[in-house]
Amino acid sequence: MIKNGENGLMVDPNDPRDIAEKLLMLIEDENLRKRLGENAKKEAERRWKCDIIARKLLDLYLEVLENC
C-alpha cells in the first residue's frame, strides 16, 4: 500500500535512527510532506471507496458460495 517516496516513506521499525531520519526529512521538507500527503489521500480515495469495498466483499461471498 505504501509506495516509498510516492505516498509515504518506508522505515525499518527496528531501526530508531532510520525512523528519526525519515521524520526529520518530513519536518524539514514542506514540499515532500505535501506531496506525500496528497498522493496518500488520492490512493486512499481510489482504493477504499465504499462501492469498491462492497463489490469486493460481494465477489468474495459469491466465490465462497460457489465452492460450498
Side-chain angles (χ1 to χ4, degrees), residues 3-51:
K3 296 176 185 165
N4 194 40
E6 287 186 41
N7 62 4
L9 296 174
M10 301 295 288
V11 297
D12 179 350
N14 299 311
D15 184 351
R17 180 163 291 167
D18 186 38
I19 296 169
E21 287 173 1
K22 299 296 176 29
L23 286 172
L24 280 174
M25 284 174 57
L26 293 172
I27 289 169
E28 294 172 350
D29 190 339
E30 182 179 0
N31 290 329
L32 177 63
R33 283 195 314 271
K34 286 181 179 181
R35 183 172 54 81
L36 294 177
E38 289 169 2
N39 289 343
K41 182 179 178 185
K42 288 176 189 174
E43 179 69 14
E45 288 171 345
R46 182 188 69 78
R47 184 179 284 241
W48 302 109
K49 285 185 175 181
C50 290
D51 57 331

